[in-house]
Amino acid sequence: EGQVKALANAFEELRHTQAELMHSEKLATIGQLASGVAHEINNPLQVILGRTQMLSRTEKDESKMQSLRDIESHTVRIAEIVDGLLSVARKDTSGEIKEVDLNLVVARALSLLESQFSLNDIVVVKDLDSSNPCINANAGQIQQVITNLALNACQAMAGSGGTLTIRTRANQDNVEVEVIDTGPGIDEAIMDRVFEPFFTTKPEGEGTGLGLSIVLGIVQAHGGTVKVGNAAGGGACFTLYLPAASKSDQIAA
Ligand SMILES: Nc1ncnc2c1ncn2[C@@H]1O[C@H](COP(=O)(O)OP(=O)(O)OP(=O)(O)O)[C@@H](O)[C@H]1O
Ligand SMILES: [Mg+2]
C-alpha cells in the first residue's frame, strides 16, 4: 500500500510540474510576442495621441471635443495594456537590484492606494515584522507586485467593504508577505488559472487579466514563489516567498 501511495504522490508531482512547465512556456511565448509587437504598436499610438491632442487644442464644438477626449482616453488605455504585456515579458531585473526593506515597499504601495481603500470602505491592517525583513530586489517591481495584489483585494471587496490584511514575516531563508482580504474568495474551479495571462472574471473593459501574471513574473525573476488560497474567513489569500537578503548574498558569493 505504501508503494501505491508513493506512486500516486509521484504522479501528482509530475502532473504539477507539467502544469508549471506549460505555464512558463505560455508566458515565454507571450513574452516574445509582446516585445516584438509592443514596439510596433507604440509608434502609431503616439501619433494618434499627438494628433488628438493637437485637434483638442482648437476644437470649439463640445460634442466633437468629447469624442476627442474619448479617443484620447482609449488610446491611453491601449498604451497601458501594451505596457502591461511588456512587464509580463520583462524577465530580467538586472541593474536595479538593491537591498530593499520590504516593510517600506509595502507601506509605500499601500499609501498610494489610500483613497481607493477609503472610497470602498476598506480597512487596512498592517502587520509588519519589526525586524525589517530585507530582500535583494528591484523595489519598483516589488511595489508593483504589492499594488496588483492590493488592487485585486480592493476590487473583490468593492461594494461591501471589508478588511485588507498585509503581513510580513522574516524567516531564516525567506521573507513572506501575506495579502488577505475578506471578499468572496476564489472558486476552486478557477484557482489554477488566476495566474494565466489574460485570465479574468471581470467584465470586458474592466480587467485585462494581466495583474497576477505580472505578479508571478516578477516574483519568479526574484527567485521567489507565490501561493494562492482562500483564508479561513472565506476571502482570498496570496502568499509571496522571497529569498531573504542574507541568503541571496551567500548564493552570489
Ligand atoms: N483577491 C481576490 N479575490 C477574488 N478573486 C480574485 C482576487 N484576486 C484575483 N482574483 C481572480 O483572479 C482573476 C485574475 O486576476 P488578475 O489580477 O490577473 O486580473 P484582473 O484583476 O481580472 O485584471 P487586471 O489585473 O489586468 O486589471 C480575477 O479576475 C479574479 O477572478
Ligand atoms: Mg488585477
Side-chain angles (χ1 to χ4, degrees):
E1 192 179 321
Q3 273 178 334
V4 174
K5 197 136 190 263
L7 202 61
N9 284 344
F11 258 125
E12 179 51 32
E13 209 170 293
L14 203 64
R15 200 196 60 81
H16 184 73
T17 311
Q18 190 195 22
E20 272 187 351
L21 253 175
M22 275 168 63
H23 185 244
S24 55
E25 232 163 68
K26 202 164 172 181
L27 274 180
T29 310
I30 291 213
Q32 281 167 2
L33 242 167
S35 29
V37 172
H39 190 75
E40 300 299 312
I41 293 180
N42 256 330
N43 291 335
L45 273 186
Q46 294 315 315
V47 176
I48 295 173
L49 263 178
R51 296 286 194 279
T52 311
Q53 284 159 354
M54 198 183 77
L55 288 174
S56 309
R57 248 176 261 137
T58 50
E59 185 55 64
K60 303 258 170 2
D61 184 295
E62 184 48 39
S63 88
K64 284 192 188 147
M65 192 62 201
Q66 189 52 53
S67 297
L68 287 172
R69 272 190 222 112
D70 285 347
I71 294 173
E72 185 176 352
S73 71
H74 284 87
T75 310
V76 168
R77 173 88 179 117
I78 297 175
E80 281 169 4
I81 294 173
V82 172
D83 239 29
L85 269 173
L86 276 176
S87 5
V88 174
R90 231 177 273 129
K91 283 268 169 201
D92 134 78
T93 55
S94 58
E96 295 180 62
I97 301 283
K98 278 194 288 210
E99 190 159 311
V100 171
D101 178 351
L102 208 54
N103 288 347
L104 280 180
V105 178
V106 167
R108 207 181 303 144
L110 294 180
S111 74
L112 288 176
L113 296 172
E114 243 160 43
S115 63
Q116 310 240 30
F117 295 138
S118 63
L119 216 65
N120 290 295
D121 285 321
I122 291 164
V123 178
V124 179
V125 176
K126 280 183 270 186
D127 177 5
L128 307 181
D129 191 327
S130 56
S131 68
N132 301 332
C134 282
I135 56 175
N136 286 320
N138 178 318
Q141 290 188 339
I142 298 298
Q143 185 175 332
Q144 161 132 53
V145 166
I146 306 294
T147 303
N148 288 4
L149 293 175
L151 266 181
N152 279 348
C154 190
Q155 286 156 356
M157 296 187 285
S160 53
T163 305
L164 170 68
T165 307
I166 303 219
R167 193 173 290 147
T168 58
R169 286 281 174 272
N171 288 332
Q172 214 161 19
D173 297 336
N174 278 318
V175 176
E176 298 171 15
V177 188
E178 274 183 311
V179 180
I180 305 163
D181 64 61
T182 56
I186 300 169
D187 242 15
E188 282 298 334
I190 63 162
M191 196 77 91
D192 280 349
R193 304 195 54 200
V194 292
F195 292 104
E196 278 179 22
F198 298 111
F199 177 82
T200 181
T201 57
K202 287 163 192 167
E204 223 180 294
E206 271 178 45
T208 320
L210 286 177
L212 287 177
S213 28
I214 292 172
V215 165
L216 183 67
I218 292 176
V219 169
Q220 285 181 340
H222 282 80
T225 52
V226 195
K227 256 182 28 193
V228 57
N230 286 321
C237 173
F238 287 85
T239 313
L240 312 176
Y241 301 87
L242 294 160
S246 51
K247 187 192 171 194
S248 354
D249 286 344
Q250 283 164 19
I251 289 173

mmCIF file with all atom_site columns, all heavy atoms in Angstrom, residues 152-153 155-156 181 185-186 190 194 199-202 206-212 236 238, ligand 1:
data_model
loop_
_atom_site.group_PDB
_atom_site.id
_atom_site.type_symbol
_atom_site.label_atom_id
_atom_site.label_alt_id
_atom_site.label_comp_id
_atom_site.label_asym_id
_atom_site.label_entity_id
_atom_site.label_seq_id
_atom_site.pdbx_PDB_ins_code
_atom_site.Cartn_x
_atom_site.Cartn_y
_atom_site.Cartn_z
_atom_site.occupancy
_atom_site.B_iso_or_equiv
_atom_site.pdbx_formal_charge
_atom_site.auth_seq_id
_atom_site.auth_comp_id
_atom_site.auth_asym_id
_atom_site.auth_atom_id
_atom_site.pdbx_PDB_model_num
ATOM   1   N N   . ASN A 1 152 ? -6.467  43.976 -6.495  1.00 0.00 ? 152 ASN A N   1
ATOM   2   C CA  . ASN A 1 152 ? -7.388  42.850 -6.669  1.00 0.00 ? 152 ASN A CA  1
ATOM   3   C C   . ASN A 1 152 ? -8.250  42.673 -5.426  1.00 0.00 ? 152 ASN A C   1
ATOM   4   O O   . ASN A 1 152 ? -9.459  42.461 -5.523  1.00 0.00 ? 152 ASN A O   1
ATOM   5   C CB  . ASN A 1 152 ? -6.601  41.555 -6.921  1.00 0.00 ? 152 ASN A CB  1
ATOM   6   C CG  . ASN A 1 152 ? -6.163  41.413 -8.357  1.00 0.00 ? 152 ASN A CG  1
ATOM   7   O OD1 . ASN A 1 152 ? -6.618  42.148 -9.230  1.00 0.00 ? 152 ASN A OD1 1
ATOM   8   N ND2 . ASN A 1 152 ? -5.266  40.478 -8.601  1.00 0.00 ? 152 ASN A ND2 1
ATOM   9   N N   . ALA A 1 153 ? -7.616  42.749 -4.249  1.00 0.00 ? 153 ALA A N   1
ATOM   10  C CA  . ALA A 1 153 ? -8.348  42.599 -2.985  1.00 0.00 ? 153 ALA A CA  1
ATOM   11  C C   . ALA A 1 153 ? -9.402  43.694 -2.880  1.00 0.00 ? 153 ALA A C   1
ATOM   12  O O   . ALA A 1 153 ? -10.560 43.440 -2.533  1.00 0.00 ? 153 ALA A O   1
ATOM   13  C CB  . ALA A 1 153 ? -7.378  42.661 -1.813  1.00 0.00 ? 153 ALA A CB  1
ATOM   14  N N   . GLN A 1 155 ? -10.785 45.373 -5.311  1.00 0.00 ? 155 GLN A N   1
ATOM   15  C CA  . GLN A 1 155 ? -11.861 45.157 -6.276  1.00 0.00 ? 155 GLN A CA  1
ATOM   16  C C   . GLN A 1 155 ? -12.790 44.034 -5.829  1.00 0.00 ? 155 GLN A C   1
ATOM   17  O O   . GLN A 1 155 ? -13.996 44.085 -6.055  1.00 0.00 ? 155 GLN A O   1
ATOM   18  C CB  . GLN A 1 155 ? -11.259 44.851 -7.663  1.00 0.00 ? 155 GLN A CB  1
ATOM   19  C CG  . GLN A 1 155 ? -10.671 46.102 -8.313  1.00 0.00 ? 155 GLN A CG  1
ATOM   20  C CD  . GLN A 1 155 ? -9.595  45.798 -9.360  1.00 0.00 ? 155 GLN A CD  1
ATOM   21  O OE1 . GLN A 1 155 ? -9.224  44.643 -9.572  1.00 0.00 ? 155 GLN A OE1 1
ATOM   22  N NE2 . GLN A 1 155 ? -9.086  46.836 -10.015 1.00 0.00 ? 155 GLN A NE2 1
ATOM   23  N N   . ALA A 1 156 ? -12.213 43.014 -5.162  1.00 0.00 ? 156 ALA A N   1
ATOM   24  C CA  . ALA A 1 156 ? -13.048 41.898 -4.688  1.00 0.00 ? 156 ALA A CA  1
ATOM   25  C C   . ALA A 1 156 ? -13.987 42.331 -3.567  1.00 0.00 ? 156 ALA A C   1
ATOM   26  O O   . ALA A 1 156 ? -15.055 41.769 -3.385  1.00 0.00 ? 156 ALA A O   1
ATOM   27  C CB  . ALA A 1 156 ? -12.155 40.745 -4.213  1.00 0.00 ? 156 ALA A CB  1
ATOM   28  N N   . ASP A 1 181 ? -7.788  39.205 2.056   1.00 0.00 ? 181 ASP A N   1
ATOM   29  C CA  . ASP A 1 181 ? -8.965  40.077 2.054   1.00 0.00 ? 181 ASP A CA  1
ATOM   30  C C   . ASP A 1 181 ? -10.172 39.346 2.625   1.00 0.00 ? 181 ASP A C   1
ATOM   31  O O   . ASP A 1 181 ? -10.107 38.154 2.920   1.00 0.00 ? 181 ASP A O   1
ATOM   32  C CB  . ASP A 1 181 ? -9.235  40.623 0.648   1.00 0.00 ? 181 ASP A CB  1
ATOM   33  C CG  . ASP A 1 181 ? -9.596  39.546 -0.355  1.00 0.00 ? 181 ASP A CG  1
ATOM   34  O OD1 . ASP A 1 181 ? -10.620 38.848 -0.155  1.00 0.00 ? 181 ASP A OD1 1
ATOM   35  O OD2 . ASP A 1 181 ? -8.854  39.390 -1.348  1.00 0.00 ? 181 ASP A OD2 1
ATOM   36  N N   . GLY A 1 185 ? -13.553 35.479 -2.002  1.00 0.00 ? 185 GLY A N   1
ATOM   37  C CA  . GLY A 1 185 ? -12.583 34.406 -2.212  1.00 0.00 ? 185 GLY A CA  1
ATOM   38  C C   . GLY A 1 185 ? -12.568 33.954 -3.667  1.00 0.00 ? 185 GLY A C   1
ATOM   39  O O   . GLY A 1 185 ? -13.249 34.520 -4.519  1.00 0.00 ? 185 GLY A O   1
ATOM   40  N N   . ILE A 1 186 ? -11.773 32.910 -3.937  1.00 0.00 ? 186 ILE A N   1
ATOM   41  C CA  . ILE A 1 186 ? -11.608 32.435 -5.314  1.00 0.00 ? 186 ILE A CA  1
ATOM   42  C C   . ILE A 1 186 ? -12.160 31.018 -5.433  1.00 0.00 ? 186 ILE A C   1
ATOM   43  O O   . ILE A 1 186 ? -11.812 30.147 -4.646  1.00 0.00 ? 186 ILE A O   1
ATOM   44  C CB  . ILE A 1 186 ? -10.119 32.458 -5.718  1.00 0.00 ? 186 ILE A CB  1
ATOM   45  C CG1 . ILE A 1 186 ? -9.587  33.896 -5.615  1.00 0.00 ? 186 ILE A CG1 1
ATOM   46  C CG2 . ILE A 1 186 ? -9.922  31.921 -7.130  1.00 0.00 ? 186 ILE A CG2 1
ATOM   47  C CD1 . ILE A 1 186 ? -8.083  34.003 -5.733  1.00 0.00 ? 186 ILE A CD1 1
ATOM   48  N N   . ILE A 1 190 ? -11.367 27.855 -10.527 1.00 0.00 ? 190 ILE A N   1
ATOM   49  C CA  . ILE A 1 190 ? -10.504 28.745 -11.308 1.00 0.00 ? 190 ILE A CA  1
ATOM   50  C C   . ILE A 1 190 ? -9.170  29.016 -10.618 1.00 0.00 ? 190 ILE A C   1
ATOM   51  O O   . ILE A 1 190 ? -8.331  29.742 -11.134 1.00 0.00 ? 190 ILE A O   1
ATOM   52  C CB  . ILE A 1 190 ? -11.202 30.097 -11.617 1.00 0.00 ? 190 ILE A CB  1
ATOM   53  C CG1 . ILE A 1 190 ? -11.501 30.870 -10.330 1.00 0.00 ? 190 ILE A CG1 1
ATOM   54  C CG2 . ILE A 1 190 ? -12.457 29.894 -12.428 1.00 0.00 ? 190 ILE A CG2 1
ATOM   55  C CD1 . ILE A 1 190 ? -11.768 32.351 -10.591 1.00 0.00 ? 190 ILE A CD1 1
ATOM   56  N N   . VAL A 1 194 ? -5.748  31.556 -12.215 1.00 0.00 ? 194 VAL A N   1
ATOM   57  C CA  . VAL A 1 194 ? -5.698  33.002 -11.962 1.00 0.00 ? 194 VAL A CA  1
ATOM   58  C C   . VAL A 1 194 ? -4.385  33.657 -12.401 1.00 0.00 ? 194 VAL A C   1
ATOM   59  O O   . VAL A 1 194 ? -4.367  34.850 -12.683 1.00 0.00 ? 194 VAL A O   1
ATOM   60  C CB  . VAL A 1 194 ? -5.988  33.353 -10.479 1.00 0.00 ? 194 VAL A CB  1
ATOM   61  C CG1 . VAL A 1 194 ? -7.437  33.044 -10.140 1.00 0.00 ? 194 VAL A CG1 1
ATOM   62  C CG2 . VAL A 1 194 ? -5.035  32.669 -9.541  1.00 0.00 ? 194 VAL A CG2 1
ATOM   63  N N   . PHE A 1 199 ? -6.331  35.844 -18.083 1.00 0.00 ? 199 PHE A N   1
ATOM   64  C CA  . PHE A 1 199 ? -7.452  35.217 -17.388 1.00 0.00 ? 199 PHE A CA  1
ATOM   65  C C   . PHE A 1 199 ? -8.088  36.254 -16.464 1.00 0.00 ? 199 PHE A C   1
ATOM   66  O O   . PHE A 1 199 ? -7.433  36.809 -15.584 1.00 0.00 ? 199 PHE A O   1
ATOM   67  C CB  . PHE A 1 199 ? -7.026  33.998 -16.562 1.00 0.00 ? 199 PHE A CB  1
ATOM   68  C CG  . PHE A 1 199 ? -8.201  33.427 -15.801 1.00 0.00 ? 199 PHE A CG  1
ATOM   69  C CD1 . PHE A 1 199 ? -9.093  32.581 -16.430 1.00 0.00 ? 199 PHE A CD1 1
ATOM   70  C CD2 . PHE A 1 199 ? -8.438  33.800 -14.476 1.00 0.00 ? 199 PHE A CD2 1
ATOM   71  C CE1 . PHE A 1 199 ? -10.205 32.092 -15.742 1.00 0.00 ? 199 PHE A CE1 1
ATOM   72  C CE2 . PHE A 1 199 ? -9.550  33.316 -13.796 1.00 0.00 ? 199 PHE A CE2 1
ATOM   73  C CZ  . PHE A 1 199 ? -10.433 32.458 -14.426 1.00 0.00 ? 199 PHE A CZ  1
ATOM   74  N N   . THR A 1 200 ? -9.367  36.527 -16.672 1.00 0.00 ? 200 THR A N   1
ATOM   75  C CA  . THR A 1 200 ? -10.076 37.479 -15.820 1.00 0.00 ? 200 THR A CA  1
ATOM   76  C C   . THR A 1 200 ? -11.528 37.061 -15.685 1.00 0.00 ? 200 THR A C   1
ATOM   77  O O   . THR A 1 200 ? -12.083 36.431 -16.587 1.00 0.00 ? 200 THR A O   1
ATOM   78  C CB  . THR A 1 200 ? -9.976  38.906 -16.393 1.00 0.00 ? 200 THR A CB  1
ATOM   79  O OG1 . THR A 1 200 ? -10.655 39.810 -15.511 1.00 0.00 ? 200 THR A OG1 1
ATOM   80  C CG2 . THR A 1 200 ? -10.594 39.015 -17.780 1.00 0.00 ? 200 THR A CG2 1
ATOM   81  N N   . THR A 1 201 ? -12.144 37.388 -14.560 1.00 0.00 ? 201 THR A N   1
ATOM   82  C CA  . THR A 1 201 ? -13.577 37.159 -14.387 1.00 0.00 ? 201 THR A CA  1
ATOM   83  C C   . THR A 1 201 ? -14.301 38.498 -14.380 1.00 0.00 ? 201 THR A C   1
ATOM   84  O O   . THR A 1 201 ? -15.487 38.559 -14.129 1.00 0.00 ? 201 THR A O   1
ATOM   85  C CB  . THR A 1 201 ? -13.871 36.420 -13.064 1.00 0.00 ? 201 THR A CB  1
ATOM   86  O OG1 . THR A 1 201 ? -13.339 37.194 -11.987 1.00 0.00 ? 201 THR A OG1 1
ATOM   87  C CG2 . THR A 1 201 ? -13.271 35.032 -13.062 1.00 0.00 ? 201 THR A CG2 1
ATOM   88  N N   . LYS A 1 202 ? -13.518 39.564 -14.640 1.00 0.00 ? 202 LYS A N   1
ATOM   89  C CA  . LYS A 1 202 ? -14.124 40.896 -14.615 1.00 0.00 ? 202 LYS A CA  1
ATOM   90  C C   . LYS A 1 202 ? -14.771 41.223 -15.948 1.00 0.00 ? 202 LYS A C   1
ATOM   91  O O   . LYS A 1 202 ? -14.366 40.692 -16.986 1.00 0.00 ? 202 LYS A O   1
ATOM   92  C CB  . LYS A 1 202 ? -13.057 41.933 -14.241 1.00 0.00 ? 202 LYS A CB  1
ATOM   93  C CG  . LYS A 1 202 ? -12.722 41.807 -12.758 1.00 0.00 ? 202 LYS A CG  1
ATOM   94  C CD  . LYS A 1 202 ? -11.450 42.458 -12.323 1.00 0.00 ? 202 LYS A CD  1
ATOM   95  C CE  . LYS A 1 202 ? -11.134 41.979 -10.912 1.00 0.00 ? 202 LYS A CE  1
ATOM   96  N NZ  . LYS A 1 202 ? -9.784  42.306 -10.490 1.00 0.00 ? 202 LYS A NZ  1
ATOM   97  N N   . GLU A 1 206 ? -12.965 46.171 -17.909 1.00 0.00 ? 206 GLU A N   1
ATOM   98  C CA  . GLU A 1 206 ? -12.559 46.431 -16.522 1.00 0.00 ? 206 GLU A CA  1
ATOM   99  C C   . GLU A 1 206 ? -11.265 45.730 -16.148 1.00 0.00 ? 206 GLU A C   1
ATOM   100 O O   . GLU A 1 206 ? -10.413 46.303 -15.499 1.00 0.00 ? 206 GLU A O   1
ATOM   101 C CB  . GLU A 1 206 ? -13.674 46.005 -15.561 1.00 0.00 ? 206 GLU A CB  1
ATOM   102 C CG  . GLU A 1 206 ? -14.641 47.139 -15.312 1.00 0.00 ? 206 GLU A CG  1
ATOM   103 C CD  . GLU A 1 206 ? -15.774 46.714 -14.401 1.00 0.00 ? 206 GLU A CD  1
ATOM   104 O OE1 . GLU A 1 206 ? -15.493 46.067 -13.386 1.00 0.00 ? 206 GLU A OE1 1
ATOM   105 O OE2 . GLU A 1 206 ? -16.928 47.035 -14.743 1.00 0.00 ? 206 GLU A OE2 1
ATOM   106 N N   . GLY A 1 207 ? -11.148 44.479 -16.536 1.00 0.00 ? 207 GLY A N   1
ATOM   107 C CA  . GLY A 1 207 ? -9.928  43.739 -16.196 1.00 0.00 ? 207 GLY A CA  1
ATOM   108 C C   . GLY A 1 207 ? -9.269  43.236 -17.456 1.00 0.00 ? 207 GLY A C   1
ATOM   109 O O   . GLY A 1 207 ? -9.939  42.850 -18.408 1.00 0.00 ? 207 GLY A O   1
ATOM   110 N N   . THR A 1 208 ? -7.936  43.243 -17.456 1.00 0.00 ? 208 THR A N   1
ATOM   111 C CA  . THR A 1 208 ? -7.203  42.707 -18.594 1.00 0.00 ? 208 THR A CA  1
ATOM   112 C C   . THR A 1 208 ? -6.756  41.283 -18.303 1.00 0.00 ? 208 THR A C   1
ATOM   113 O O   . THR A 1 208 ? -6.432  40.523 -19.192 1.00 0.00 ? 208 THR A O   1
ATOM   114 C CB  . THR A 1 208 ? -5.968  43.574 -18.891 1.00 0.00 ? 208 THR A CB  1
ATOM   115 O OG1 . THR A 1 208 ? -6.319  44.936 -18.728 1.00 0.00 ? 208 THR A OG1 1
ATOM   116 C CG2 . THR A 1 208 ? -5.474  43.346 -20.278 1.00 0.00 ? 208 THR A CG2 1
ATOM   117 N N   . GLY A 1 209 ? -6.688  40.958 -17.016 1.00 0.00 ? 209 GLY A N   1
ATOM   118 C CA  . GLY A 1 209 ? -6.221  39.629 -16.644 1.00 0.00 ? 209 GLY A CA  1
ATOM   119 C C   . GLY A 1 209 ? -4.716  39.523 -16.653 1.00 0.00 ? 209 GLY A C   1
ATOM   120 O O   . GLY A 1 209 ? -4.150  38.425 -16.728 1.00 0.00 ? 209 GLY A O   1
ATOM   121 N N   . LEU A 1 210 ? -4.046  40.674 -16.561 1.00 0.00 ? 210 LEU A N   1
ATOM   122 C CA  . LEU A 1 210 ? -2.578  40.642 -16.569 1.00 0.00 ? 210 LEU A CA  1
ATOM   123 C C   . LEU A 1 210 ? -1.987  40.841 -15.172 1.00 0.00 ? 210 LEU A C   1
ATOM   124 O O   . LEU A 1 210 ? -0.820  40.529 -14.937 1.00 0.00 ? 210 LEU A O   1
ATOM   125 C CB  . LEU A 1 210 ? -2.027  41.716 -17.511 1.00 0.00 ? 210 LEU A CB  1
ATOM   126 C CG  . LEU A 1 210 ? -2.176  41.419 -18.997 1.00 0.00 ? 210 LEU A CG  1
ATOM   127 C CD1 . LEU A 1 210 ? -1.670  42.589 -19.826 1.00 0.00 ? 210 LEU A CD1 1
ATOM   128 C CD2 . LEU A 1 210 ? -1.431  40.148 -19.367 1.00 0.00 ? 210 LEU A CD2 1
ATOM   129 N N   . GLY A 1 211 ? -2.786  41.368 -14.225 1.00 0.00 ? 211 GLY A N   1
ATOM   130 C CA  . GLY A 1 211 ? -2.258  41.712 -12.903 1.00 0.00 ? 211 GLY A CA  1
ATOM   131 C C   . GLY A 1 211 ? -1.473  40.590 -12.247 1.00 0.00 ? 211 GLY A C   1
ATOM   132 O O   . GLY A 1 211 ? -0.324  40.777 -11.831 1.00 0.00 ? 211 GLY A O   1
ATOM   133 N N   . LEU A 1 212 ? -2.077  39.403 -12.180 1.00 0.00 ? 212 LEU A N   1
ATOM   134 C CA  . LEU A 1 212 ? -1.416  38.307 -11.472 1.00 0.00 ? 212 LEU A CA  1
ATOM   135 C C   . LEU A 1 212 ? -0.302  37.665 -12.292 1.00 0.00 ? 212 LEU A C   1
ATOM   136 O O   . LEU A 1 212 ? 0.648   37.121 -11.725 1.00 0.00 ? 212 LEU A O   1
ATOM   137 C CB  . LEU A 1 212 ? -2.443  37.257 -11.041 1.00 0.00 ? 212 LEU A CB  1
ATOM   138 C CG  . LEU A 1 212 ? -3.342  37.672 -9.869  1.00 0.00 ? 212 LEU A CG  1
ATOM   139 C CD1 . LEU A 1 212 ? -4.374  36.590 -9.566  1.00 0.00 ? 212 LEU A CD1 1
ATOM   140 C CD2 . LEU A 1 212 ? -2.518  37.966 -8.615  1.00 0.00 ? 212 LEU A CD2 1
ATOM   141 N N   . ALA A 1 236 ? -9.790  35.820 -0.212  1.00 0.00 ? 236 ALA A N   1
ATOM   142 C CA  . ALA A 1 236 ? -8.614  35.278 -0.886  1.00 0.00 ? 236 ALA A CA  1
ATOM   143 C C   . ALA A 1 236 ? -7.354  35.576 -0.080  1.00 0.00 ? 236 ALA A C   1
ATOM   144 O O   . ALA A 1 236 ? -7.296  36.545 0.678   1.00 0.00 ? 236 ALA A O   1
ATOM   145 C CB  . ALA A 1 236 ? -8.491  35.886 -2.280  1.00 0.00 ? 236 ALA A CB  1
ATOM   146 N N   . PHE A 1 238 ? -3.110  35.556 -0.736  1.00 0.00 ? 238 PHE A N   1
ATOM   147 C CA  . PHE A 1 238 ? -1.927  35.356 -1.570  1.00 0.00 ? 238 PHE A CA  1
ATOM   148 C C   . PHE A 1 238 ? -0.691  35.434 -0.683  1.00 0.00 ? 238 PHE A C   1
ATOM   149 O O   . PHE A 1 238 ? -0.579  36.342 0.135   1.00 0.00 ? 238 PHE A O   1
ATOM   150 C CB  . PHE A 1 238 ? -1.848  36.432 -2.664  1.00 0.00 ? 238 PHE A CB  1
ATOM   151 C CG  . PHE A 1 238 ? -2.863  36.244 -3.755  1.00 0.00 ? 238 PHE A CG  1
ATOM   152 C CD1 . PHE A 1 238 ? -4.155  36.741 -3.617  1.00 0.00 ? 238 PHE A CD1 1
ATOM   153 C CD2 . PHE A 1 238 ? -2.540  35.554 -4.909  1.00 0.00 ? 238 PHE A CD2 1
ATOM   154 C CE1 . PHE A 1 238 ? -5.101  36.548 -4.617  1.00 0.00 ? 238 PHE A CE1 1
ATOM   155 C CE2 . PHE A 1 238 ? -3.483  35.357 -5.921  1.00 0.00 ? 238 PHE A CE2 1
ATOM   156 C CZ  . PHE A 1 238 ? -4.763  35.857 -5.779  1.00 0.00 ? 238 PHE A CZ  1
HETATM 157 N N1  . LIG B 2 .   ? -8.427  38.989 -4.055  1.00 0.00 ? 1   LIG B N1  1
HETATM 158 C C1  . LIG B 2 .   ? -9.156  38.314 -4.937  1.00 0.00 ? 1   LIG B C1  1
HETATM 159 N N2  . LIG B 2 .   ? -10.406 37.857 -4.612  1.00 0.00 ? 1   LIG B N2  1
HETATM 160 C C2  . LIG B 2 .   ? -11.149 37.171 -5.524  1.00 0.00 ? 1   LIG B C2  1
HETATM 161 N N3  . LIG B 2 .   ? -10.734 36.880 -6.775  1.00 0.00 ? 1   LIG B N3  1
HETATM 162 C C3  . LIG B 2 .   ? -9.517  37.302 -7.155  1.00 0.00 ? 1   LIG B C3  1
HETATM 163 C C4  . LIG B 2 .   ? -8.665  38.037 -6.260  1.00 0.00 ? 1   LIG B C4  1
HETATM 164 N N4  . LIG B 2 .   ? -7.520  38.304 -6.922  1.00 0.00 ? 1   LIG B N4  1
HETATM 165 C C5  . LIG B 2 .   ? -7.638  37.778 -8.147  1.00 0.00 ? 1   LIG B C5  1
HETATM 166 N N5  . LIG B 2 .   ? -8.835  37.176 -8.308  1.00 0.00 ? 1   LIG B N5  1
HETATM 167 C C6  . LIG B 2 .   ? -9.322  36.479 -9.514  1.00 0.00 ? 1   LIG B C6  1
HETATM 168 O O1  . LIG B 2 .   ? -8.236  36.285 -10.406 1.00 0.00 ? 1   LIG B O1  1
HETATM 169 C C7  . LIG B 2 .   ? -8.529  36.886 -11.689 1.00 0.00 ? 1   LIG B C7  1
HETATM 170 C C8  . LIG B 2 .   ? -7.221  37.343 -12.321 1.00 0.00 ? 1   LIG B C8  1
HETATM 171 O O2  . LIG B 2 .   ? -6.647  38.427 -11.588 1.00 0.00 ? 1   LIG B O2  1
HETATM 172 P P1  . LIG B 2 .   ? -5.674  39.435 -12.345 1.00 0.00 ? 1   LIG B P1  1
HETATM 173 O O3  . LIG B 2 .   ? -5.226  40.460 -11.371 1.00 0.00 ? 1   LIG B O3  1
HETATM 174 O O4  . LIG B 2 .   ? -4.632  38.658 -13.065 1.00 0.00 ? 1   LIG B O4  1
HETATM 175 O O5  . LIG B 2 .   ? -6.590  40.077 -13.457 1.00 0.00 ? 1   LIG B O5  1
HETATM 176 P P2  . LIG B 2 .   ? -7.791  41.125 -13.254 1.00 0.00 ? 1   LIG B P2  1
HETATM 177 O O6  . LIG B 2 .   ? -7.739  41.718 -11.889 1.00 0.00 ? 1   LIG B O6  1
HETATM 178 O O7  . LIG B 2 .   ? -9.046  40.419 -13.645 1.00 0.00 ? 1   LIG B O7  1
HETATM 179 O O8  . LIG B 2 .   ? -7.447  42.219 -14.346 1.00 0.00 ? 1   LIG B O8  1
HETATM 180 P P3  . LIG B 2 .   ? -6.245  43.313 -14.239 1.00 0.00 ? 1   LIG B P3  1
HETATM 181 O O9  . LIG B 2 .   ? -5.415  42.987 -13.048 1.00 0.00 ? 1   LIG B O9  1
HETATM 182 O O10 . LIG B 2 .   ? -5.500  43.150 -15.513 1.00 0.00 ? 1   LIG B O10 1
HETATM 183 O O11 . LIG B 2 .   ? -6.950  44.610 -14.114 1.00 0.00 ? 1   LIG B O11 1
HETATM 184 C C9  . LIG B 2 .   ? -9.535  37.979 -11.362 1.00 0.00 ? 1   LIG B C9  1
HETATM 185 O O12 . LIG B 2 .   ? -10.313 38.330 -12.482 1.00 0.00 ? 1   LIG B O12 1
HETATM 186 C C10 . LIG B 2 .   ? -10.354 37.311 -10.260 1.00 0.00 ? 1   LIG B C10 1
HETATM 187 O O13 . LIG B 2 .   ? -11.285 36.412 -10.801 1.00 0.00 ? 1   LIG B O13 1
#
